Amino acid sequence: MDLKTFKLLHPVKYYKDYLEKDIRPDGRELEELRPLAISYNVINSADGSAIVKIGNTTVVCGIKAELAVPKALEPNVGYLVPNVEISPVSSSAYRPGPPCDEAQVHSQSLADIVISSRCIDLQDLCITAGKLVWVLYCDLVCLDHDGCIFDAAVIALVAALQTVKLPKIKHNSDTGETVTDMSSLTPLTVHAVPVPTSFVVIAGRTITDPTAEEEKLATTTLTVTMTDEKISFFNQSGGHSMDAEMLKSCTASAVKREKSVKNMMRSILEKKTRKQK
């Protein structure tokens, strides 16, 4: 039996033979991350945008800012509305139509991460309390799915938020009239940078930054999101229990990735600032 047929018939055994030697079929070590690339301001018509690649996984984020009336119970709080779409061109596993369950879960988790990490302060989006606030519609599209969509989506969202500039709004609370001054743009303040790292368990071994193939074979999936070296979001699915030592190892890997991603973002933004000067 040739190797390709063996992999097709016995995928878990195929992976297990590699994992027992502390290596994966793609040549990576168990904790090794794929290359990460971030590009800012990729959509000219958006108020903020970015595209992120983790290995072959590609997610683009575009943000549009619109004016709205705040909630009655939160008169000085704006809105951030993430929407994740997994494009059918990203993988043959997805079909055209309404958002799949996976995309809807990712959308809600993104909103939760922004709040739990205090990435942005929604009060910064208030123009006139009880009358007018900003709504940030964050559309994220997965163009190529090769695992860790959520990781790429979070990084793309944060990167896009770092490029948002909002015009000055003059609002007359008596008449309801608003005047937009596009000559005066204020950058949105990003207070924190949440960075997720995903792990899966295959044949009893924990591996970092799984591919789509590895995700399909996983008995357990774990995502640890770090913000300033503290866990700001945690999600685990699957039946395999993870002991304290395993969780400690995953958290240590997540801290390393957080530092790496933040340093990359800082470096790219500093270069952009120097070029603009």
Side-chain angles (χ1 to χ4, degrees):
M1 184 185 301
D2 63 78
L3 192 61
K4 188 175 181 180
T5 304
F6 179 77
K7 178 182 178 182
L8 185 64
L9 296 176
H10 308 284
V12 176
K13 179 65 170 63
Y14 173 82
Y15 261 85
K16 185 177 180 180
D17 291 343
Y18 278 93
L19 299 179
E20 287 178 345
K21 299 175 183 177
D22 294 328
I23 198 169
R24 295 191 239 181
D26 62 6
R28 283 189 292 157
E29 296 180 359
L30 304 194
E31 295 185 4
E32 186 176 345
L33 300 170
R34 291 173 292 178
L36 169 68
I38 305 172
S39 296
Y40 290 85
N41 294 315
V42 295
I43 305 174
N44 292 332
S45 58
D47 295 306
S49 63
I51 188 168
V52 167
K53 285 179 64 70
I54 298 177
N56 292 324
T57 296
T58 306
V59 174
V60 62
C61 177
I63 298 177
K64 290 294 289 184
E66 295 185 5
L67 299 173
V69 177
K71 297 177 183 178
L73 296 178
E74 297 178 309
N76 62 337
V77 174
Y79 306 88
L80 183 137
V81 185
N83 180 58
V84 176
E85 177 186 341
I86 304 178
S87 169
V89 302
S90 69
S91 168
S92 59
Y94 300 93
R95 296 288 181 268
C100 62
D101 292 343
E102 180 184 350
Q104 294 183 56
V105 169
H106 289 336
S107 297
Q108 183 57 54
S109 295
L110 280 172
D112 293 341
I113 278 182
V114 170
I115 294 173
S116 63
S117 67
R118 299 180 180 178
C119 174
I120 65 170
D121 186 346
L122 296 182
Q123 292 187 10
D124 292 344
L125 301 178
C126 179
I127 299 169
T128 303
K131 298 290 185 178
L132 199 64
V133 296
W134 284 109
V135 182
L136 300 182
Y137 291 102
C138 310
D139 292 315
L140 299 103
V141 180
C142 177
L143 303 176
D144 197 345
H145 179 1
D146 190 23
C148 291
I149 287 180
F150 185 67
D151 294 14
V154 173
I155 297 172
L157 174 60
V158 174
L161 287 171
Q162 291 174 331
T163 68
V164 171
K165 293 183 179 180
L166 300 175
K168 184 176 181 180
I169 301 294
K170 295 179 181 179
H171 177 249
N172 188 319
S173 57
D174 295 326
T175 64
E177 183 181 357
T178 60
V179 177
T180 303
D181 183 4
M182 295 303 296
S183 64
S184 178
L185 299 176
T186 303
L188 178 68
T189 301
V190 176
H191 299 280
V193 178
V195 179
T197 305
S198 291
F199 309 85
V200 296
V201 177
I202 301 176
R205 303 298 298 273
T206 304
I207 61 178
T208 308
D209 186 19
T211 63
E213 185 177 74
E214 291 166 343
E215 288 180 340
K216 290 177 183 177
L217 298 175
T219 55
T220 299
T221 300
L222 172 71
T223 300
V224 180
T225 302
M226 306 300 298
T227 306
D228 297 328
E229 299 186 28
K230 295 180 180 178
I231 297 177
S232 57
F233 186 83
F234 185 93
N235 183 59
Q236 180 180 343
S237 61
H240 190 284
S241 60
M242 304 186 88
D243 57 33
E245 193 63 32
M246 193 179 295
L247 290 174
K248 183 178 179 181
S249 175
C250 290
T251 302
S253 295
V255 169
K256 290 180 182 177
R257 188 183 209 184
E258 182 203 3
K259 291 179 180 178
S260 174
V261 171
K262 289 174 71 173
N263 287 337
M264 175 182 286
M265 286 182 166
R266 188 180 301 112
S267 176
I268 295 173
L269 290 172
E270 286 176 353
K271 287 181 181 178
K272 286 176 63 65
T273 301
R274 286 198 296 267
K275 285 183 179 179
Q276 290 173 356
K277 290 179 179 180

